[in-house]
Amino acid sequence: MNNAPIAQTHHQEPIPANMTDTLHLVKTRLGHSTDLVTRQMQVMHAWPAALLYIEGMVDTQMLHQSILESLMQEVRPLPEWEGDKSACLTYLRNEVLVAGDMETVDKLSDLLDFLLAGSVILQLDGLSTAIAISACGWEDRNVTEPQSQTVVRGPMEGFTENLRTNTTLVRRKIRSPELWLETMPIGRVTKTNVALMFIHGVAEDGIVEEVRRRLRAIEIDSVLESGYLEEFIQDTAKSPFPTLYNSERPDTIAAGLLEGRVAILVDGTPFVLLVPALFNHFFQSPEDYYQRADISTLIRMIRYLCFFIAMLAPSFYIAITTYHQEMLPTGLLINLAAQREGVPFPAFIEAVLMELTYEILREAGVRIPKTVGQAVSIVGTLVVGQAAVEAGVVSAAMVIIVSITAISSYVIPENGMSIAVRMLRFVLMGLAAAFGFYGILIGMLCILLHLTSLRSFGVSYMSPYAPFQPSDIKDTLFRLPWTHMRRRPLSAGGPGKQRLKKPPKRV
Amino acid sequence: MRLRVLHIVIAGLILLSATGCWDRKELNELGIVLAMAVDKDGDKGYKVSCQVVVPSEVASNSGKSTTTTVTLVQATATTIHEALYKMTLSSPRLSYMSHVRLLVFSEEVAREGIADTLEALIRDPNFRPDYYITIARGSPAEDILTILTPLESIPANSLFYSLKNSSDSWAPTIAAYADDTVEKMVSSGVEPVLTGVRILGDRVAGGSKDNLTHIKPEARLMFTGMAVLIRDRLIGWMDEDESKGYNYIAGNVKETTGHMNCPEGEGVVSLVLLRSTSKIIPRLVNGKPAFDVKLQVVQTIYGDSCETSLSSDYAIRQLQKISERKLIKIMEDSVNAAQHRLRSDIFGFGREFYRKYPLHWKTLAMNWNETFPSVKVNIEVEAQIRRIGTLDDSIIKQMKEEMPE
């Protein structure tokens, strides 16, 4: 806030007419950064001019072939141009330069903005306006298979770090004039481009406006990943549950847009945000729609089951073995009791110990250099599994519980939800250790109440379950065949337009 | 706001430390009791014995086993619960009673009455009333719990499943749950029955692991006979056929096997009973109660050493007739024993009568035990033979026809 007045003055500062002054000024402002290339030349062999660009931000081929080559032509200037530099500039713009996007700038701050965004700046000596020729081109990662959300069947392309590539990937899937795109820079220092994508007429205007409003309200110096925005625009920070969906799959985002949701793309990250995000969305995988409906339904149910296993398995084990032994069949009770013979810790400590060990292994697995990964994973497996049991520090049943818990948490397709589950697991374990099933029940009730109170961009988080929306149940715990899902879901916020116009005729 | 969070945190901590964990018991702190025996120890009160599992022996994967799978913990005290808690004097673990599967009374205790014991056990929420009750015959109850059994490494389980299976597929036992028994004890017009259990063989050798090293164990446990009670006191025993008759009338027979004589000549036909349904129909004859017992059974022939043919409808009907007469005989014997020898209405005739003639019952209820021996019971059986197995005429018949002696 303190440098707002300074920014104001910068904003007003015009470009000096003298080209040498401009060069000096720009260099000073950039702290004589060495990647700034300045080139003085005689445009059309007649007019002295300066060319500025940042090395690496500019497509060199384009610079050479389209800009430099055209500027170096030898054209005899017409006599009426003598002294009228702005006419020259117009001539250059309109008839000489071979480039798509060009802007005329007359403020120094604008000049810097364009320069740093990858434009080539051309200033004719003696003129206080310059041309910013868009020639951005830098080294980019190719479109590759997404790492975080893989499918067996379905598109294998994922978003990249380049915003333009990402918007293209979506637009290629939805070739409709109703697919609208808005871009705004966010971040005082980074000036990161953030794009808002939605299908006009499908997305509810109120939600689009709300997203716009929240994005505009962001006051931050930098946006390096969509996670930065997520924390600013989410409905509440006081929840372990994610209220924004993120994906690096263009097909997921396209499907979301078609349901009437709004995508937020951030330059520099392959993770695109999708709002509103409801509880139900985190259990949907794009593959559900590519496979047959019956198997998708089965898998959806397994995902919900895994949500509960991942959250409750250790706490159930603790509660049953320390409070509710009478609930076990006699044979199982004796078996578990035999395993616990000689285990020095209470079941709760044992469970916390193992869960923590697992979380450590997991975190290490993510951070570890690939070359040593295998060695560490072997040690980890042996430590957690065999050795711990054989040494009698933990019981074998606990290892089974921890394993099934860990594996279940990866069945949930979106990472944000499984993180929530992993955190709540420890709370529930504590409740189970102190109060048994009673504690688990209280904990679950609290979670349920919390979930129903959540909202994502004005939409109830638990819809279509609560408030119950019968027509939307078709794509929740079940995935009905497309012929049955003739309308767009209402709970996503869209106006519920027809997906299929008529019931398809049977052939 | 910050204060509110602090309040919630403090409340949570108080909750955790004040009310949490009060009944926490780790699995390895429990002495899991699977069977309990109640004896009388003179004037000192009850001698309670608990068969406690040694989990590491039962679920042992290590291979080496040095101790027995179960151990016996005993204590003597005036009441059952005093004895149960007194056991900690000699056992490191508190008895965990939720998984008790079998309760054995000595005959002595049973003759004096089991009501006070059952009352204490049913009242205690730590007991689940789904254990079977049996009465030890010919030995103290505690001895029953000292016999090691093959196949089921836990003797209590061995007894539990043996009783369950025998009552399901071999009629003359009754798997009497504690709650059912108590219900029969307290309701008028029906008396409880229990199954007896007996040690066969060398009782001392049975408690050693060596017992399991023989193909034919030196000591075995066997269910035998039905104990007939009046209210909570043991009155006497029924033999196998009488017990079977009881189960037919009471509708407890799920499946059983029996035999009958051939229509003519020597030999027997063995029959497997597939289904049976029984019905007790009370009547009033001249102001006096009388009962019709109707039994329907579906049978199949599993063995036939008769010389008569099975291939005709007539032959099958003849066999059905014989079967009916045999079943009537079994049931009549059972009713006779109950009416005259034991004088206990174990079939629940009184209860059936009450259900049909509630007003009339009031006059009878007070001295039903005196009235019961003289009521008339009429038994009808409808026996069906549905299948004759995979053979037609008996092999014996065919042999005799081919090679007349």
Coordinates of all heavy atoms in Angstrom, one line a residue, chain B residues 88-127:
Chain B
T88 N -9.1 -62.6 40.6 CA -7.9 -61.9 40.3 C -6.8 -62.2 41.3 O -5.6 -61.9 41.1 CB -8.2 -60.3 40.4 OG1 -8.9 -60.1 41.6 CG2 -9.0 -59.9 39.2
L89 N -7.1 -62.8 42.4 CA -6.1 -63.3 43.4 C -5.2 -64.3 42.8 O -4.0 -64.4 43.2 CB -6.8 -63.9 44.6 CG -7.6 -63.0 45.5 CD1 -8.3 -63.9 46.6 CD2 -6.7 -62.0 46.2
S90 N -5.7 -65.0 41.8 CA -4.8 -66.0 41.2 C -4.6 -65.9 39.7 O -4.0 -66.7 39.1 CB -5.4 -67.4 41.5 OG -6.7 -67.5 40.9
S91 N -5.2 -64.8 39.2 CA -5.0 -64.6 37.7 C -4.6 -63.2 37.4 O -5.1 -62.2 38.1 CB -6.3 -64.9 37.0 OG -6.3 -64.4 35.7
P92 N -3.7 -63.0 36.5 CA -3.2 -61.6 36.2 C -4.2 -60.8 35.4 O -4.0 -59.6 35.3 CB -1.9 -61.8 35.4 CG -2.2 -63.1 34.7 CD -3.0 -64.0 35.7
R93 N -5.2 -61.4 34.9 CA -6.1 -60.6 34.0 C -7.5 -60.7 34.5 O -8.0 -61.7 35.0 CB -6.0 -61.2 32.6 CG -4.7 -61.0 32.0 CD -4.7 -61.4 30.6 NE -3.3 -61.2 30.0 CZ -3.0 -61.5 28.8 NH1 -3.9 -61.9 27.9 NH2 -1.7 -61.3 28.4
L94 N -8.2 -59.6 34.3 CA -9.6 -59.5 34.8 C -10.4 -60.3 33.8 O -10.2 -60.3 32.6 CB -10.0 -58.0 34.7 CG -11.3 -57.7 35.5 CD1 -11.1 -58.0 37.0 CD2 -11.7 -56.3 35.3
S95 N -11.3 -61.1 34.4 CA -12.2 -61.9 33.5 C -13.0 -61.1 32.6 O -13.7 -60.2 33.1 CB -13.0 -62.8 34.3 OG -12.2 -63.6 35.2
Y96 N -13.0 -61.4 31.3 CA -13.9 -60.7 30.3 C -15.0 -61.7 29.9 O -14.7 -62.7 29.3 CB -13.0 -60.3 29.2 CG -13.8 -59.5 28.2 CD1 -14.2 -58.2 28.5 CD2 -14.1 -59.9 26.9 CE1 -14.9 -57.4 27.6 CE2 -14.8 -59.2 26.0 CZ -15.2 -57.9 26.4 OH -15.9 -57.1 25.5
M97 N -16.2 -61.3 30.3 CA -17.3 -62.3 30.2 C -18.2 -62.2 29.0 O -19.0 -63.0 28.8 CB -18.2 -62.2 31.5 CG -17.4 -62.2 32.8 SD -16.4 -63.6 33.0 CE -17.6 -64.9 33.2
S98 N -17.9 -61.2 28.1 CA -18.8 -61.0 27.0 C -18.9 -62.2 26.1 O -19.8 -62.4 25.3 CB -18.4 -59.8 26.1 OG -18.6 -58.7 26.9
H99 N -17.8 -63.0 26.0 CA -17.8 -64.1 25.1 C -18.0 -65.5 25.7 O -17.6 -66.5 25.1 CB -16.4 -64.0 24.3 CG -16.4 -63.0 23.3 ND1 -16.7 -63.2 22.0 CD2 -16.1 -61.6 23.4 CE1 -16.7 -62.0 21.3 NE2 -16.3 -61.1 22.1
V100 N -18.6 -65.5 26.8 CA -18.9 -66.8 27.5 C -19.8 -67.5 26.5 O -20.8 -67.0 26.1 CB -19.5 -66.6 28.8 CG1 -20.1 -67.9 29.3 CG2 -18.5 -66.0 29.8
R101 N -19.5 -68.8 26.3 CA -20.3 -69.6 25.3 C -21.1 -70.7 26.0 O -22.0 -71.2 25.5 CB -19.5 -70.2 24.2 CG -18.4 -69.3 23.7 CD -18.0 -69.6 22.3 NE -19.0 -69.0 21.5 CZ -18.9 -69.0 20.1 NH1 -18.0 -69.7 19.6 NH2 -19.8 -68.4 19.4
L102 N -20.6 -71.0 27.2 CA -21.2 -72.2 27.9 C -21.2 -72.0 29.4 O -20.1 -71.6 29.9 CB -20.4 -73.4 27.5 CG -21.0 -74.8 27.8 CD1 -22.1 -75.1 26.8 CD2 -20.0 -75.9 27.8
L103 N -22.3 -72.3 30.0 CA -22.3 -72.3 31.5 C -22.7 -73.7 31.9 O -23.7 -74.3 31.5 CB -23.4 -71.3 31.9 CG -23.7 -71.1 33.3 CD1 -22.4 -70.7 34.1 CD2 -24.8 -70.1 33.6
V104 N -21.9 -74.3 32.8 CA -22.1 -75.6 33.3 C -22.4 -75.6 34.7 O -21.7 -75.0 35.5 CB -20.8 -76.5 33.1 CG1 -21.2 -77.9 33.4 CG2 -20.3 -76.4 31.7
F105 N -23.6 -76.2 35.1 CA -23.9 -76.3 36.5 C -23.7 -77.7 37.0 O -23.9 -78.7 36.2 CB -25.4 -76.0 36.7 CG -25.8 -74.5 36.6 CD1 -26.4 -74.0 35.5 CD2 -25.4 -73.7 37.6 CE1 -26.7 -72.7 35.4 CE2 -25.7 -72.3 37.6 CZ -26.4 -71.8 36.4
S106 N -23.3 -77.8 38.2 CA -23.1 -79.2 38.7 C -24.6 -79.7 39.0 O -25.5 -78.9 39.2 CB -22.3 -79.2 39.9 OG -22.9 -78.6 41.0
E107 N -24.7 -81.0 39.1 CA -26.0 -81.5 39.4 C -26.5 -81.1 40.8 O -27.7 -80.7 40.9 CB -26.0 -83.1 39.3 CG -27.1 -83.6 38.4 CD -27.1 -85.1 38.3 OE1 -26.1 -85.7 37.9 OE2 -28.1 -85.7 38.7
E108 N -25.6 -80.9 41.7 CA -25.9 -80.5 43.0 C -26.5 -79.1 43.0 O -27.6 -78.9 43.6 CB -24.7 -80.6 43.9 CG -24.9 -80.3 45.4 CD -23.6 -80.1 46.1 OE1 -22.5 -80.2 45.5 OE2 -23.7 -79.9 47.3
V109 N -25.8 -78.2 42.3 CA -26.3 -76.8 42.2 C -27.7 -76.8 41.5 O -28.6 -76.1 42.0 CB -25.3 -75.9 41.5 CG1 -25.9 -74.6 41.3 CG2 -24.0 -75.9 42.3
A110 N -27.8 -77.6 40.5 CA -29.0 -77.6 39.7 C -30.2 -78.1 40.6 O -31.3 -77.6 40.4 CB -28.9 -78.5 38.5
R111 N -30.0 -79.1 41.4 CA -31.1 -79.6 42.2 C -31.5 -78.6 43.3 O -32.6 -78.5 43.7 CB -30.6 -80.9 42.9 CG -30.6 -82.1 42.0 CD -30.7 -83.4 42.6 NE -30.4 -84.5 41.6 CZ -31.3 -85.0 40.8 NH1 -32.6 -84.6 40.9 NH2 -31.0 -85.9 39.9
E112 N -30.5 -77.7 43.7 CA -30.9 -76.7 44.7 C -31.5 -75.5 44.1 O -32.1 -74.7 44.7 CB -29.6 -76.3 45.5 CG -29.2 -77.3 46.5 CD -28.0 -76.9 47.2 OE1 -27.7 -75.7 47.3 OE2 -27.3 -77.8 47.8
G113 N -31.3 -75.3 42.7 CA -31.8 -74.2 42.1 C -30.8 -73.3 41.4 O -29.8 -73.0 42.1
I114 N -31.0 -72.9 40.2 CA -30.0 -72.1 39.5 C -30.5 -70.7 39.3 O -29.8 -69.9 38.7 CB -29.7 -72.7 38.1 CG1 -31.0 -72.8 37.3 CG2 -29.1 -74.1 38.2 CD1 -30.8 -73.3 35.8
A115 N -31.6 -70.3 39.9 CA -32.2 -69.0 39.7 C -31.3 -67.9 40.1 O -31.1 -66.9 39.4 CB -33.6 -68.9 40.3
D116 N -30.8 -68.0 41.3 CA -30.0 -66.9 41.9 C -28.7 -66.6 41.0 O -28.3 -65.5 40.8 CB -29.6 -67.1 43.3 CG -28.9 -68.4 43.6 OD1 -29.0 -69.3 42.7 OD2 -28.3 -68.6 44.6
T117 N -28.1 -67.7 40.5 CA -27.0 -67.6 39.6 C -27.3 -66.9 38.3 O -26.7 -65.9 37.9 CB -26.4 -68.9 39.3 OG1 -26.2 -69.7 40.5 CG2 -25.0 -68.8 38.6
L118 N -28.4 -67.4 37.7 CA -28.8 -66.8 36.4 C -29.2 -65.4 36.6 O -28.9 -64.5 35.7 CB -29.9 -67.6 35.8 CG -29.5 -69.0 35.2 CD1 -30.7 -69.7 34.6 CD2 -28.5 -68.7 34.1
E119 N -29.9 -65.1 37.7 CA -30.4 -63.7 37.9 C -29.2 -62.8 37.9 O -29.1 -61.7 37.3 CB -31.1 -63.7 39.2 CG -30.9 -62.5 40.1 CD -31.5 -61.2 39.7 OE1 -32.5 -61.3 39.0 OE2 -31.0 -60.2 40.1
A120 N -28.1 -63.2 38.6 CA -26.9 -62.3 38.7 C -26.2 -62.2 37.3 O -25.8 -61.1 37.0 CB -25.9 -62.9 39.7
L121 N -26.2 -63.3 36.6 CA -25.5 -63.2 35.3 C -26.3 -62.4 34.2 O -25.7 -61.7 33.4 CB -25.2 -64.6 34.8 CG -24.3 -65.5 35.6 CD1 -24.0 -66.8 35.0 CD2 -23.0 -64.7 36.0
I122 N -27.6 -62.6 34.3 CA -28.4 -61.9 33.3 C -28.4 -60.4 33.6 O -28.4 -59.5 32.7 CB -29.9 -62.4 33.3 CG1 -30.0 -63.9 32.9 CG2 -30.8 -61.5 32.4 CD1 -30.1 -64.1 31.5
R123 N -28.4 -60.0 34.9 CA -28.4 -58.6 35.3 C -27.1 -57.9 34.9 O -27.1 -56.7 34.5 CB -28.7 -58.5 36.8 CG -28.9 -57.1 37.3 CD -29.1 -57.1 38.8 NE -30.3 -57.7 39.2 CZ -31.5 -57.1 39.3 NH1 -31.6 -55.9 38.9 NH2 -32.6 -57.7 39.7
D124 N -26.0 -58.6 34.9 CA -24.7 -58.1 34.7 C -24.6 -57.7 33.2 O -24.7 -58.6 32.3 CB -23.6 -59.1 35.1 CG -22.3 -58.5 34.9 OD1 -22.1 -57.5 34.2 OD2 -21.3 -59.1 35.4
P125 N -24.4 -56.4 32.8 CA -24.4 -56.1 31.4 C -23.1 -56.6 30.7 O -23.1 -56.6 29.5 CB -24.4 -54.6 31.4 CG -23.9 -54.2 32.8 CD -24.3 -55.3 33.7
N126 N -22.2 -57.1 31.5 CA -21.0 -57.6 30.8 C -21.2 -59.0 30.2 O -20.3 -59.5 29.5 CB -19.8 -57.7 31.8 CG -19.4 -56.3 32.2 OD1 -19.2 -55.4 31.3 ND2 -19.2 -56.0 33.5
F127 N -22.3 -59.6 30.6 CA -22.6 -60.9 30.0 C -23.6 -60.8 28.9 O -24.5 -60.0 29.0 CB -23.2 -61.8 31.1 CG -22.3 -62.5 32.0 CD1 -21.8 -61.8 33.1 CD2 -21.9 -63.8 31.8 CE1 -20.9 -62.4 34.0 CE2 -21.0 -64.4 32.7 CZ -20.5 -63.7 33.8

